[in-house]
Amino acid sequence: MKDEFFIGWSNTPGRQTRAFMALVSTVLIAGLALLSAILSSTIRDPGHSLFGSSGLPQVVQDVTLAGTLTFDPYPIIMLPPDAMHPRGHGVLLTGEGKHGVAFDRAALEGARVEIKGFLLKRGTLDMLVVNGSPRKIAEPEAPGRPQSLGRWRIVGEICDGKCAAGGMSPGTGLAHKACANLCLIGDVPPVFVSSQPLEGQQFLVIADGRGRALDHRIRDFLAMRVALEGQIERRGDMLVLRTDLAHARRL
Amino acid sequence: MTFADLVYWCGLVYGGLGLGVAAAFLVFGLDRVDRSARGSFAFRPLLVPGLVLLWPVVIANWRRLLLRGT
Amino acid sequence: MSAGYKAVSWTRSKILYDVVLIAGIVAYITIFFRFGALPGPDGLSPDAPTLAMKAFGSCGFLLLTIVLAIGPLARLDRRFLPLLYNRRHFGVITCAIAASHASAALGWYFAFSDLPPLKALFAADTSFGQVSGFPFVILGVAAFLILLVMAATSHDFWLTFLGAPTWKSIHMAVYGAYALVVGHLALGALQDARSWVLPAVCAVSVVTLILLHLAAALSQNATDACIATASSPPWVVAGKLSAFAEGRAIVVHLADAEPVAIFRHDNMLSAVTNVCAHQNGPLGEGCVIDGLITCPWHGFQYRLADGCAPPPFTERIATYRLALDGDTVLLDPQPNPPGTYVEPIRVGSPVA
């Protein structure tokens, strides 16, 4: 069979060319459709993402929390004990978007306050996206002593608290490393997502060795499996890992 | 200045200069360096992204073609 | 006389080509959103921005794979040539899909902070010193810039303005873009892959492209092996007479010069440059129509004996001298000035 000559600019390719191109076109469209079905069906979401869903106004419900405000290592409101949380319940605080909260620390450290906002929840982790400023309802009191749980070596992933708490998906994993870094640059508190629950908790607050916020070096360890070592202490129902990032290892 | 600032501002300056070169080339250069462009106008906006991205090359070629023309 | 520029020189073939390609992309994206949004075994379904990033990203990668496969496929089987001749449209559309992926990521992962998204792109992740956890986004940005430069210089004007060698070297950078995209995937999405499908698709893409290019290079070498070998100076051996088909050409690849197309028509052989004066189209892939060499890209025509386009056109191409030694065709690799008359050599009895 003599091959047919095709000119790129021609309006009417020959019969053989038309037939072959019809075949190629069919294979292309069917192949893309099939690959799309296969690839898309393997996508898994690690958790409900509040901000990605179209029904944001419906799911967001404003709450008012009353408790003790602390700033180390990150802004946290400690709610008094109730039936569900006999030790009290710590809630991380953050602002809108990729911003933390900017409260007057000198005036509010240790004070009992009322804060409005909406809650992000994933597992045992709660984060309040604060709306407005906290209202002081009682003067600071002596802080409760944290309970030391000893020295631990734990494996898991450091994430921004907001997406780990269900703000945006995936919330964990390298794909959103830059996104999580931006949150941390904006002072959103990080959390440690442990691969094994520890004292019933999968999410831990992380601090430096002196119990304060971690510096920029944390960004080199974000969103991937890492092993961290340090003292773990319990504040209310929250676990806080005090770790020196110099000893952190990427796995 | 951080790495990001550097990249960002270099990008903005490069793009801004590129827009200037693109405008100048489309108005003063194109018809002189390529005869096929004379009387054709609809395709000119399509050249803008390339002119902005490759403006140093555009200036070099523009000069070379003008010198060859004279 | 020469054709003036148009925004896009549409023909029915090109419209059909684009329609098929866009239909494939629409099918891909629609199905991706439909299937991807279905809840998984845990009852959770991904959100729209995440789906958009994954849909456009994976689509762009597949399109890049296909567009890179077209070249070797066309060298292995001429029937794929029509895909090659409109490849620029394919490239521009691929760049648009990559732009959709980039804009989905910028508008979600890099938004909502104090930094402008384009600055956040470079500020958010600077762990360049590590392999696992390397800022894979930067690799995607670099690949996109290459695709953007290619799409932006795809108009005919750029080929003339930059000259064919520069233009071609810019467009060869597509291989660099593909390597960057593979790196972007390997250090990003594949690190988090929870199923074997995406790694498998990636591996098949890379292996297929390597094999196709190797096969095309081997078949090219098999053709080249019998040509362009030195004979008595200045002649080089162009091939056996029996290899020349009526109305078609054999392309002779020379060491440091443009390839030469040797056409057989009415049992006469004529040699011209393989490079069309219009847009450097491959004349040797063309054929003789109405006694004229016809370029497969845009149908530009040249006379066999002197390489001149028939009036009123003014394009001229270089011609070459040929000789016959028994059944071996010999070529003088020194080109004559464009439009020089060279008497075709007779290789058999004239066709009645």
Side-chain angles (χ1 to χ4, degrees):
Chain A
M1 188 166 69
K2 189 174 180 296
D3 60 341
E4 205 169 64
F5 182 54
F6 172 81
I7 298 176
W9 261 7
S10 72
N11 270 320
T12 47
R15 203 168 56 81
Q16 282 172 34
T17 308
R18 284 206 305 266
F20 186 68
M21 284 302 119
L23 176 71
V24 170
S25 306
T26 313
V27 169
L28 178 86
I29 295 176
L32 281 175
L34 184 69
L35 275 171
S36 176
I38 296 172
L39 277 169
S40 60
S41 61
T42 62
I43 297 177
R44 290 285 166 266
D45 191 50
H48 178 63
S49 102
L50 192 60
F51 301 148
S53 62
S54 50
L56 185 63
Q58 285 79 41
V59 273
V60 169
Q61 287 194 334
D62 276 335
V63 293
T64 304
L65 302 180
T68 307
L69 189 59
T70 56
F71 286 86
D72 276 326
Y74 300 97
I76 291 169
I77 184 165
M78 189 61 71
L79 308 183
D82 59 18
M84 276 184 67
H85 310 97
R87 290 194 173 97
H89 181 43
V91 177
L92 286 161
L93 301 176
T94 184
E96 298 270 354
K98 293 173 183 172
H99 303 97
V101 291
F103 297 156
D104 180 356
R105 180 169 182 166
L108 294 171
E109 172 91 69
R112 271 185 61 76
V113 296
E114 219 176 58
I115 305 184
K116 285 189 165 62
F118 65 87
L119 272 181
L120 295 171
K121 293 173 87 68
R122 183 174 287 169
T124 53
L125 179 68
D126 283 3
M127 180 177 258
L128 184 75
V129 181
V130 174
N131 179 10
S133 300
R135 192 170 68 85
K136 196 190 253 188
I137 50 178
E139 286 305 317
E141 40 194 81
R145 285 184 66 80
Q147 177 196 359
S148 174
L149 300 180
R151 195 169 174 82
W152 291 72
R153 180 176 183 275
I154 50 175
V155 172
E157 186 175 329
I158 307 173
C159 300
D160 69 282
K162 203 165 195 175
C163 293
M168 281 158 60
S169 77
T172 58
L174 262 185
H176 92 314
K177 182 180 178 201
C179 180
N181 274 354
L182 267 186
C183 266
L184 265 58
I185 292 172
D187 288 333
V188 174
V191 296
F192 186 79
V193 187
S194 175
S195 22
Q196 297 291 328
L198 198 151
E199 298 277 313
Q201 300 272 19
Q202 199 181 357
F203 299 96
L204 286 85
V205 176
I206 45 175
D208 70 6
R210 290 180 295 177
R212 290 196 292 231
L214 287 154
D215 62 21
H216 64 91
R217 283 178 300 162
I218 190 179
R219 288 187 235 149
D220 287 343
F221 296 96
L222 219 71
M224 64 188 85
R225 259 170 78 82
V226 288
L228 300 181
E229 264 183 60
Q231 295 286 337
I232 292 183
E233 58 189 35
R234 197 199 312 265
R235 297 188 201 167
D237 65 343
M238 266 186 158
L239 297 186
V240 180
L241 169 71
R242 289 160 67 144
T243 184
D244 181 355
L245 284 181
H247 300 132
R249 278 202 309 118
R250 288 186 286 270
L251 301 176
Chain B
M1 182 178 263
T2 64
F3 169 69
D5 287 327
L6 191 74
V7 174
Y8 185 73
W9 287 109
C10 285
L12 276 188
V13 170
Y14 186 89
L17 289 172
L19 275 177
V21 172
F25 181 76
L26 288 180
V27 175
F28 304 112
L30 185 54
D31 290 327
R32 295 180 64 186
V33 300
D34 193 337
R35 277 195 313 163
S36 301
R38 290 175 198 171
S40 305
F41 296 97
F43 83 105
R44 293 181 189 222
L46 292 185
L47 304 186
V48 174
L51 295 170
V52 172
L53 284 168
L54 296 179
W55 65 263
V57 181
V58 170
I59 291 179
N61 260 318
W62 186 359
R63 191 166 165 271
R64 183 178 59 82
L65 290 170
L66 281 186
L67 289 177
R68 201 176 64 179
T70 54
Chain C
M1 186 172 145
S2 198
Y5 289 128
K6 292 193 174 75
V8 181
S9 307
W10 290 109
T11 65
R12 196 164 152 269
S13 304
K14 283 192 193 181
I15 292 172
L16 270 175
Y17 189 97
D18 289 5
V19 164
V20 168
L21 188 53
I22 289 170
I25 292 168
V26 168
Y28 187 91
I29 301 293
T30 313
I31 291 174
F32 205 99
F33 271 90
R34 181 64 62 86
F35 278 52
L38 295 177
D42 46 9
L44 298 167
S45 50
D47 52 78
T50 305
L51 271 180
M53 272 179 260
K54 289 181 187 289
F56 287 113
S58 56
C59 184
F61 176 67
L62 292 173
L63 292 180
L64 198 54
T65 304
I66 298 170
V67 83
L68 283 174
I70 291 175
L73 277 177
R75 272 194 281 164
L76 290 166
D77 185 340
R78 295 176 57 94
R79 290 179 302 169
F80 285 103
L81 281 173
L83 296 182
L84 189 70
Y85 298 154
N86 281 326
R87 201 167 40 163
R88 276 191 256 174
H89 285 219
F90 205 133
V92 171
I93 290 175
T94 304
C95 179
I97 296 294
S100 307
H101 169 68
S103 115
L106 275 180
W108 191 236
Y109 286 165
F110 295 94
F112 317 116
S113 86
D114 284 336
L115 296 170
L118 283 176
K119 197 191 273 190
L121 197 58
F122 300 99
D125 196 356
T126 49
S127 311
F128 292 104
Q130 56 201 56
V131 177
S132 172
F134 184 86
F136 69 95
V137 178
I138 298 294
L139 301 179
V141 173
F144 177 63
L145 277 178
I146 293 177
L147 294 183
L148 196 61
V149 168
M150 289 177 58
T153 56
S154 62
H155 193 273
D156 291 347
F157 159 79
W158 289 100
L159 190 55
T160 317
F161 180 63
L162 298 173
T166 311
W167 191 86
K168 278 186 180 164
S169 55
I170 288 178
H171 286 244
M172 285 301 276
V174 70
Y175 288 99
Y178 179 76
L180 287 166
V181 169
V182 171
H184 177 65
L185 266 167
L187 296 174
L190 295 192
Q191 299 283 326
D192 284 338
R194 290 154 204 245
S195 105
W196 55 270
V197 175
L198 187 61
V201 168
C202 259
V204 168
S205 157
V206 172
V207 171
T208 307
L209 285 182
I210 291 175
L211 288 181
L212 273 176
H213 281 82
L214 279 178
L218 285 177
S219 96
Q220 185 80 54
N221 280 345
T223 323
D224 289 354
C226 64
I227 55 183
T229 48
S231 179
S232 50
W235 301 100
V236 297
V237 176
K240 290 287 176 205
L241 192 52
S242 54
F244 291 80
E246 172 63 26
R248 293 285 192 175
I250 273 190
V251 180
V252 181
H253 296 268
L254 302 167
D256 297 312
E258 280 175 353
V260 178
I262 304 177
F263 281 89
R264 179 174 185 155
H265 177 61
D266 280 351
N267 284 326
M268 313 266 260
L269 289 182
S270 314
V272 295
T273 172
N274 189 44
V275 182
C276 180
H278 173 226
Q279 279 185 8
N280 304 280
L283 287 174
E285 288 172 16
C287 72
V288 181
I289 297 177
D290 301 331
L292 297 163
I293 296 167
T294 306
C295 178
W297 277 8
H298 304 107
F300 271 56
Q301 294 189 306
Y302 305 93
R303 289 195 294 252
L304 285 150
D306 61 7
C308 293
F313 297 98
T314 52
E315 280 80 8
R316 287 163 176 220
I317 51 174
T319 55
Y320 293 79
R321 290 194 308 142
L322 290 172
L324 208 55
D325 177 12
D327 62 348
T328 303
V329 179
L330 301 174
L331 166 75
D332 177 357
Q334 186 60 41
N336 295 311
T340 306
Y341 181 85
V342 176
E343 183 70 30
I345 58 166
R346 181 165 300 281
V347 293
S349 45
V351 176

